[in-house]
Amino acid sequence: MARTLILMRHGKSAYPAGIEDHERPLAPRGKREAALAGTWLRAKQPPIDAVRCSTATRTRETLAATGITAPVEFEPGIYEATTDYLIELIGLTDPAVSTLLVIGHAPGMPWTAWDLAAQHDTEDAIGLSRKFPTSALAVLRLPGEWDQVGPGAGDLVTFHVPR
């Protein structure tokens, strides 16, 4: 059974004085673009069965702004995750899940999307390699089970920047 993995970078954050990076909230633009991402997800992608989200304030606010209501696991390790960590985390996904949304940060989200993609010469892959802006979404189709996910295992079918 093919799986759908959606990797999303959090919305544009604000930089209030005296706030640690992990606690930075979304800026108004971030809320607006995350809402647009949610609208796009509901219109263009399969229903999301599960979400894994960083514990950072801006990622939690991004999830809330999307309006996605699937069961959520908040994962502190996504905050400064490496590609290896994210691939391992994706591999632990319940086999009953067919569409997984992961909300995190750069460089983890773009690097993981790049590493999982089998082809790097498509228009979407080239766009992703140039810039993975806030609220951007990389959608990959993965054959087989979640625990078989690894570098080059998927097809990057869409790279979307909600604006």
Side-chain angles (χ1 to χ4, degrees):
M1 174 168 120
R3 311 283 179 183
T4 301
L5 172 65
I6 303 166
L7 300 173
M8 181 178 188
R9 185 175 174 200
H10 62 78
K12 177 73 176 164
S13 59
Y15 293 87
I19 301 294
E20 294 293 321
D21 184 72
H22 191 272
E23 305 310 317
R24 284 190 295 126
L26 287 182
R29 178 180 129 197
K31 290 177 184 176
R32 180 176 39 83
E33 291 172 354
L36 290 171
T39 300
W40 181 83
L41 284 167
R42 284 185 294 283
K44 303 289 184 182
Q45 297 304 312
I48 294 168
D49 300 312
V51 178
R52 293 202 176 199
C53 183
S54 163
T55 56
T57 300
R58 60 190 176 274
T59 54
R60 289 182 287 129
E61 290 182 357
T62 296
L63 174 59
T66 66
I68 300 298
T69 59
V72 181
E73 290 183 37
F74 292 100
E75 300 281 348
I78 295 174
Y79 178 64
E80 292 183 328
T82 63
T83 299
D84 289 341
Y85 177 89
L86 289 167
I87 290 173
E88 183 177 330
L89 184 66
I90 292 162
L92 297 173
T93 302
D94 184 323
V97 170
S98 58
T99 302
L100 174 66
L101 170 64
V102 180
I103 303 175
H105 310 267
M109 293 297 104
W111 288 357
T112 301
W114 182 261
D115 281 358
L116 291 176
Q119 292 186 301
H120 296 135
D121 59 354
T122 66
E123 184 177 330
D124 285 322
I126 292 167
L128 179 153
S129 73
R130 289 187 179 139
K131 187 172 183 180
F132 199 109
T134 54
S135 295
L137 301 131
V139 180
L140 295 115
R141 297 281 190 267
L142 305 164
E145 300 295 327
W146 292 111
D147 62 2
Q148 298 170 355
V149 170
D155 292 319
L156 177 65
V157 294
T158 305
F159 176 62
H160 178 72
V161 181
R163 297 285 187 254

